Amino acid sequence: MKLHILLLLQFTAFVSSLYIPVVKSSHKDEIALAFNSNVGTFPSDLSFFHGLIQQFFRLGATVKEEDNIRLADFETWVVEQKKVSFQGILNNIGGVSEFLNVSEVSKGAVIASPSKNKPNYFYQWVRDAALTIKSLIYHIDDNKFENVDDIKSVIEAYIENNYYLQRLDNNSGKFDDQDKAGLGEPKFNANNTAFTDNWGRPQRDGPGLRAITVLSYLSLLEKWDKKVSNEFLQSPEFIYNEIVKPDLIYIIKNWFKEGFDLWEEVNSHHYYTSITQLTAIKDGLALAQKIEKDPDFIRKLKVTFSNLKQFIEVDSGYKNPALPYIVETPSLLRSGKRTGLDAGSLLGSLHSHNMEFGDYSDIPFDVTDDHLINTLSAMVADMKYRYPLNHNKIGFEKGVGVALGRYPEDIYDGYGTSEGNPWFISTASASEIIFKFLYDLKNRKLDIIINNQNKDFFQQFIDFDKIPSTDIVTVPANEYTDAIVIRYGSQTYKTLALNLASYSDSFLEIIKDHVDNHGRMSEQFNKYHGFMQGARDLTWSYSAVWNAFRWRQKTLDILDQF
């Protein structure tokens, strides 16, 4: 313990000399809070210092004040951090990276992080890669397919690379066995060889996420009347038959089986896996009805969609009548090991409702769903108190964002098991959800319905007793029980929308406080001192933050039309 204190004093002196210009006073208080017995027990392992040590070396290079991204005002930071985040994505993709060795990383391979030890994330996860490439697809769409040939090549290299990964024999199984079990393998070596060590396998969300991403790209080509450029991939028909269809077959044959969750820890049924599988089937069916030559396969897709949706909405336990939020892993709730709260539920909604490429109203738990909003609200309420870093947010009269982790019971610290911390992914996703919520309401010109299920959330942003009667829609008796329906476009509607937009920004402001001076992001930031720890330059962190910025701009643009 004495060594711990000595190290902390040394690093505090370092931080005082180098970091004070960009650290708010509240952050200095957070370090002090870690020693306060009223806050909680000071961690007895070295995880507390690992983040400080990591930050010491990352800040070792002198940064000119004008080049320090964290010194910028918020709007300037958003613009610059979006650029840094996008480049952070590209730097972790083989064939386009400024840093990766081509002999180590195959072209089109997306590594989770360049970190090779403590922790070793130098692998290509099927999940992380699919979500990352999705951001590149959005980038092309936003730029209307202008000056994006290099990004198009990256996406098609990723698709070709996955053709080979699908066919690799691995510890989950083979590509050509009865259930295509090999497609449940969660990760591969960066050089396109199978990872053969012990791991949490199978992980059944990978095939669905890959199918969603590849099908999104095919939709993008159709939208902008573009052709496939990669000679190996040939055409949309080849991509569908050789890459997408095998993933759809895997879902048809395996959706009802247990597997490991997106955090790779628990073998069970998981909301995130089920909801993304459902979207993959929906997207696959839309294309299959255009080009599939086997009518029986189309029938199987329809049956699977119906059965899987029934499972999600009724049989699974993801919606528990005793709880207002989504239960990510019902078996853990039933066993009393967890509350069911999990950032995976937030991510599941974001990754299963692809608003740019179709109507997803038949996919449950979208961004306006009360259970999803309550999931976010419950996580904020829990982690406001759970993480000392957030204690300066206690007592706010109006809603304010806090740093969010994976789930309340988390003990993964980025290197081992001690105490869970906030993650950039979770915090950025909270912001994205609220922005997409606002976008959906405005885009579809929907009234805002405040009812018994969501009133605790909305009362943070508006005084129900002061809503003018002219701003309230009169509804038929019994249509909504004890509901307040705020008229679309009314002054109250506009005020609430602006307050919610500020709420979304408050999550991004937390991210601004915890990136390094260059805007780089790791996996986590410590719940006591706030410095980053875990895998450095995490690809998914960059992708999640970039997505939040993107939806911020889209939402603010549409709100300006009021």
Side-chain angles (χ1 to χ4, degrees):
M1 185 64 183
K2 290 181 179 179
L3 176 61
H4 291 183
I5 298 297
L6 178 59
L7 283 171
L8 180 62
L9 290 174
Q10 290 173 336
F11 279 101
T12 301
F14 162 70
V15 171
S16 298
S17 65
L18 179 65
Y19 213 61
I20 278 180
V22 295
V23 177
K24 296 180 180 179
S25 60
S26 61
H27 287 68
K28 291 179 286 184
D29 295 339
E30 289 157 6
I31 295 178
L33 280 171
F35 294 95
N36 189 333
S37 60
N38 293 325
V39 170
T41 303
F42 187 82
S44 59
D45 55 62
L46 288 175
S47 66
F48 180 87
F49 300 96
H50 208 143
L52 284 173
I53 293 169
Q54 184 185 59
Q55 199 76 358
F56 177 85
F57 288 107
R58 294 191 66 166
L59 293 175
T62 301
V63 181
K64 294 180 181 179
E65 185 169 309
E66 61 269 25
D67 295 331
N68 189 333
I69 193 171
R70 300 176 73 252
L71 285 173
D73 65 84
F74 179 72
E75 293 296 337
T76 302
W77 172 77
V78 167
V79 173
E80 295 304 314
Q81 185 66 57
K82 187 177 182 183
K83 296 175 185 176
V84 171
S85 299
F86 195 76
Q87 187 60 49
I89 292 172
L90 296 180
N91 283 342
N92 286 344
I93 302 177
V96 68
S97 172
E98 297 175 348
F99 306 106
L100 296 178
N101 188 323
V102 294
S103 65
E104 287 187 295
V105 184
S106 299
K107 185 178 181 181
V110 183
I111 60 167
S113 161
S115 176
K116 294 183 178 180
N117 57 75
K118 296 184 179 180
N120 183 3
Y121 278 31
F122 200 77
Y123 301 98
Q124 44 180 331
W125 267 267
V126 177
R127 175 193 313 106
D128 296 37
L131 298 174
T132 298
I133 296 299
K134 194 79 167 294
S135 294
L136 302 188
I137 293 170
Y138 290 144
H139 171 81
I140 291 180
D141 197 32
D142 292 346
N143 285 276
K144 301 179 180 179
F145 239 109
E146 296 179 358
N147 302 315
V148 292
D149 287 349
D150 54 339
I151 304 300
K152 184 175 187 286
S153 296
V154 170
I155 295 171
E156 293 187 358
Y158 155 81
I159 296 173
E160 179 182 352
N161 188 66
N162 273 265
Y163 172 90
Y164 304 121
L165 295 182
Q166 285 177 316
R167 287 156 178 80
L168 273 181
D169 290 350
N170 55 67
N171 286 12
S172 291
K174 298 179 181 294
F175 176 76
D176 56 0
D177 64 18
Q178 183 176 358
D179 294 335
K180 292 197 174 295
L183 298 182
E185 182 66 8
K187 70 176 184 179
F188 298 86
N189 294 319
N191 63 355
N192 276 15
T193 57
F195 173 77
T196 57
D197 292 349
N198 291 331
W199 205 251
R201 55 169 64 91
Q203 293 176 27
R204 303 191 190 281
D205 59 344
L209 292 169
R210 177 167 50 208
I212 290 170
T213 293
V214 175
L215 288 165
S216 294
Y217 182 64
L218 296 181
S219 294
L220 182 77
L221 294 180
E222 181 180 15
K223 176 180 179 179
W224 295 101
D225 194 24
K226 300 293 182 179
K227 304 294 184 183
V228 175
S229 301
N230 183 294
E231 290 184 5
F232 175 81
L233 297 179
Q234 302 175 30
S235 66
E237 288 77 15
F238 177 89
I239 294 172
Y240 166 78
N241 284 305
E242 300 299 327
I243 300 171
V244 174
K245 188 172 181 178
D247 283 337
L248 298 177
I249 293 172
Y250 179 87
I251 298 172
I252 290 171
K253 291 181 173 292
N254 295 280
W255 68 263
F256 49 87
K257 299 176 184 177
E258 293 184 341
F260 279 83
D261 62 320
L262 77 164
W263 309 128
E264 311 191 294
E265 297 170 342
V266 179
N267 188 31
S268 188
H269 288 113
H270 312 284
Y271 166 77
Y272 181 85
T273 301
S274 295
I275 199 72
T276 52
Q277 286 176 333
L278 186 67
T279 294
I281 293 295
K282 173 184 172 63
D283 290 350
L285 179 59
L287 184 57
Q289 288 175 325
K290 297 177 182 178
I291 64 176
E292 175 60 54
K293 296 180 179 179
D294 180 3
D296 187 57
F297 186 66
I298 293 177
R299 181 191 64 80
K300 289 178 180 178
L301 287 172
K302 291 179 178 179
V303 170
T304 300
F305 183 86
S306 177
N307 290 341
L308 180 51
K309 187 176 181 182
Q310 165 75 16
F311 176 75
I312 292 170
E313 293 184 317
V314 180
D315 303 327
S316 61
Y318 301 144
K319 182 187 288 187
N320 187 312
L323 297 171
Y325 52 79
I326 300 169
V327 177
E328 168 64 21
T329 305
S331 64
L332 292 177
L333 176 68
R334 291 192 295 267
S335 67
K337 294 180 179 179
R338 292 190 194 173
T339 62
L341 275 178
D342 196 303
S345 298
L346 307 180
L347 294 164
S349 177
L350 291 176
H351 300 158
S352 60
H353 294 83
N354 194 3
M355 296 168 70
E356 283 84 353
F357 299 110
D359 177 12
Y360 288 82
S361 58
D362 54 349
I363 303 293
F365 301 110
D366 68 8
V367 291
T368 61
D369 184 88
D370 289 342
H371 280 78
L372 179 69
I373 295 298
N374 287 334
T375 302
L376 172 58
S377 184
M379 289 191 66
V380 169
D382 176 278
M383 292 173 182
K384 182 186 296 184
Y385 293 90
R386 184 173 299 277
Y387 298 150
L389 190 75
N390 290 327
H391 287 184
N392 60 350
K393 306 296 176 61
I394 296 172
F396 276 66
E397 292 183 4
K398 296 295 183 181
V400 61
V402 302
L404 296 181
R406 298 191 302 173
Y407 51 88
E409 303 83 2
D410 194 8
I411 58 171
Y412 176 60
D413 57 32
Y415 313 107
T417 54
S418 62
E419 297 179 307
N421 297 302
W423 283 47
F424 287 104
I425 294 169
S426 304
T427 308
S429 295
S431 176
E432 183 182 352
I433 280 173
I434 300 301
F435 278 127
K436 291 181 83 169
F437 171 86
L438 287 170
Y439 183 92
D440 193 49
L441 288 176
K442 178 66 173 67
N443 190 49
R444 294 198 287 154
K445 296 181 171 56
L446 300 176
D447 298 329
I448 297 176
I449 301 172
I450 300 173
N451 54 35
N452 288 332
Q453 286 71 48
N454 61 31
K455 67 179 181 181
D456 287 344
F457 174 77
F458 283 111
Q459 69 182 4
Q460 303 175 85
F461 309 104
I462 196 166
D463 188 338
F464 298 158
D465 295 330
K466 295 183 179 180
I467 302 176
S469 59
T470 54
D471 290 356
I472 296 176
V473 177
T474 301
V475 297
N478 299 323
E479 184 169 339
Y480 301 111
T481 303
D482 298 325
I484 301 172
V485 182
I486 299 176
R487 188 185 305 278
Y488 170 80
S490 66
Q491 186 56 51
T492 300
Y493 192 102
K494 296 175 184 177
T495 299
L496 180 53
L498 291 175
N499 287 342
L500 287 169
S502 295
Y503 182 58
S504 291
D505 275 347
S506 67
F507 289 101
L508 297 178
E509 287 168 352
I510 291 167
I511 291 171
K512 180 178 185 290
D513 286 345
H514 297 289
V515 299
D516 78 1
N517 296 338
H518 300 280
R520 293 189 293 254
M521 284 176 279
S522 296
E523 177 186 65
Q524 312 175 20
F525 45 101
N526 189 278
K527 73 176 186 178
Y528 293 100
H529 55 61
F531 286 132
M532 291 187 290
Q533 60 190 63
R536 64 183 176 90
D537 294 299
L538 190 75
T539 317
W540 194 353
S541 292
Y542 288 126
S543 175
V545 170
W546 187 89
N547 290 345
F549 289 148
R550 175 176 182 266
W551 276 101
R552 178 181 191 267
Q553 188 59 58
K554 289 171 68 71
T555 302
L556 294 183
D557 287 346
I558 201 170
L559 290 181
D560 282 344
Q561 298 173 15
F562 272 129

